[in-house]
Every structure is written in structure tokens, then in C-alpha cells.
């Protein structure tokens, strides 16, 4: 898989439906342990809520889990999960907490409410595209430092780290095609005196996009 969608950032949203209060949280997660920790965190924070329904999807191993946490079967966890599957978002964990307001919503009402909870919080978080970037060590002199950062950014790259010594060694990451655009600029700026060295590949997030 060359690229995949994840939440852009953690987010929270809330709405009230027939006096029941629904509080939603979403996170980008990398493992089941991280997802479970987020779920437990919400259960402790909202220990007095009637329900803490949840779902998560992980790219690694194709893991899909959800829970109705006491709501009628199929009215909470699965509808939440469906939101992320429709958007093709993975490495995601979502908890929708319900404080019961005394009015029964019925199966259809619950399904709509938990769907809305998941969709609202995903809209708040936004999504981004994880794609394979190449990572490079870029040697740099102090006089060229600021210009070099600008040139890396102009080619879509980001500076991940810098080591300062007699000269500077930048660790830069580039999306597809970015390193190829940057290499001749490095040659030009340094009059052929500096050369970048490949350091591998890494999946990194792109800019924020809106969910559909």
C-alpha cells in the first residue's frame, strides 16, 4: 500500500439528542495497545456515563474492533466503525460517550446518533494522507543554512533533525519526486561541493484534508 488515510489530529466534539449528551473523541493510533489505552482513558474520565462505545481500525494486520458497551447490539460500535470504513480511514480509534438523558432513542435513533458522533469528530479532526517519503542526510554550511531550509521546503520536504558541528548535517524527508527536485539545487548552491546521502524511507503524513 503506497498511501493510506489517517486522522490529521486528535479531536473532540459534542451534541445533545433528546436530552442525551454525546461526547466524541478520535485519535490516530499505531497499535492495539495504544487504542486500548485511549479507550480506558475515556472510561476513567467519563466513569459516570451510561455508555462509552468505541471502535478502532489498524492497518497493520487489518485489525477491526468495536463495542456497543451496553447499547442494543449493532446500534453503536458498528455504525461508528462504518463512518471510518466509508472514508477509508485507518489507524484510528474513536470513543463516543453517552450520558443518558432519560428519553429512549430507539434502535434507529441510536444508530443515527452514534453515526453522527463519529462523523462530527472526524470532521473536526480532518484527515491526511500517509505516504512513503524518502529520508536523506543533507550536509550544509552555516552560511547556507537558512537558504537550504527554504529550498527543502520549496521541494515539498521537511527538516526532521539537525546536527551542529564544524558544519551542519540536516536530516530531511521528501515526498515522491521531492528529492529529485532538490538535488540539483543543492549542487547549484554549493557549487558542487555538497552531496546528499539516502537514509531510507518512512511513512509520513501530508497536509490536512477534509473528510468527504
Amino acid at each position: 500500500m503506497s498511501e493510506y488515510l489517517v486522522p490529521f489530529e486528535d479531536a473532540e466534539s459534542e451534541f445533545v439528542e433528546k436530552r442525551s449528551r454525546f461526547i466524541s473523541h478520535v485519535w490516530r493510533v499505531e497499535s492495539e495497545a495504544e487504542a486500548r489505552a485511549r479507550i480506558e482513558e475515556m472510561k476513567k474520565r467519563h466513569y459516570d456515563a451510561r455508555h462509552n462505545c468505541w471502535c478502532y481500525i489498524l492497518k497493520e494486520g487489518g485489525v477491526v474492533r468495536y463495542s456497543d458497551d451496553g447499547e442494543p447490539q449493532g446500534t453503536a460500535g458498528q455504525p461508528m466503525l462504518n463512518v471510518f470504513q466509508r472514508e477509508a480511514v485507518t489507524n484510528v480509534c474513536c470513543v463516543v460517550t453517552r450520558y443518558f438523558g432519560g428519553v429512549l432513542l430507539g434502535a434507529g435513533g441510536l444508530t443515527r446518533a452514534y453515526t453522527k458522533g463519529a462523523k462530527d469528530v472526524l470532521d473536526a479532526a480532518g484527515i491526511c494522507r500517509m505516504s512513503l517519503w524518502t529520508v536523506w542526510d543533507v550536509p550544509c554550511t552555516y552560511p547556507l543554512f537558512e537558504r537550504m531550509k527554504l529550498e527543502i521546503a520549496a521541494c515539498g520536504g521537511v527538516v526532521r533533525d539537525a546536527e551542529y558541528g564544524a558544519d551542519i548535517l540536516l536530516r530531511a524527508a521528501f515526498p515522491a519526486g521531492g528529492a529529485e527536485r532538490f538535488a540539483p539545487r543543492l549542487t547549484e548552491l554549493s557549487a558542487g561541493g555538497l552531496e546528499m546521502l539516502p537514509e531510507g524511507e518512512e511513512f509520513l503524513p501530508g497536509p490536512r484534508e477534509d473528510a468527504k
Side-chain angles (χ1 to χ4, degrees), residues 72-149:
Q73 186 175 354
T75 62
Q78 183 73 58
M80 291 162 57
L81 187 69
N82 290 345
V83 169
F84 300 104
Q85 289 176 325
R86 273 198 305 273
E87 300 279 359
V89 172
T90 189
N91 285 12
V92 59
C93 176
C94 179
V95 177
V96 178
T97 299
R98 180 190 182 194
Y99 284 90
F100 183 56
V103 178
L104 295 174
L105 299 183
L110 287 172
T111 298
R112 286 189 293 275
Y114 282 102
T115 299
K116 174 177 168 58
K119 183 70 171 75
D120 284 357
V121 79
L122 182 59
D123 288 345
I127 57 176
C128 64
R129 208 168 293 274
M130 297 287 287
S131 58
L132 200 57
W133 292 42
T134 54
V135 182
W136 300 79
D137 276 345
V138 181
C140 175
T141 61
Y142 282 90
L144 281 176
F145 183 42
E146 293 303 323
R147 179 64 185 276
M148 201 71 83
K149 288 193 293 185

Side-chain angles (χ1 to χ4, degrees), residues 5 46 48 55 59 66 74 89 105 107 120 123 137 142 166 192 201:
L5 297 174
H46 299 292
D48 54 341
C55 68
K59 184 174 76 74
Y66 62 90
V89 172
L105 299 183
D120 284 357
D123 288 345
D137 276 345
Y142 282 90
E201 297 177 322

Side-chain angles (χ1 to χ4, degrees), residues 12-55:
E12 179 179 347
S13 66
E14 184 177 331
F15 70 96
V16 175
E17 180 69 27
K18 293 184 179 174
R19 299 212 297 267
S20 277
R21 183 178 166 215
F22 291 86
I23 306 167
S24 304
H25 289 85
V26 72
W27 307 267
R28 187 195 308 173
V29 293
E30 301 296 331
S31 67
E32 272 201 272
E34 192 180 350
R36 292 284 180 180
R38 292 297 195 180
I39 293 163
E40 288 308 310
E41 179 189 335
M42 289 301 104
K43 285 182 175 180
K44 285 176 184 170
R45 182 187 300 182
H46 299 292
Y47 66 91
D48 54 341
R50 178 71 69 90
H51 307 281
N52 285 288
C53 303
W54 54 264
C55 68

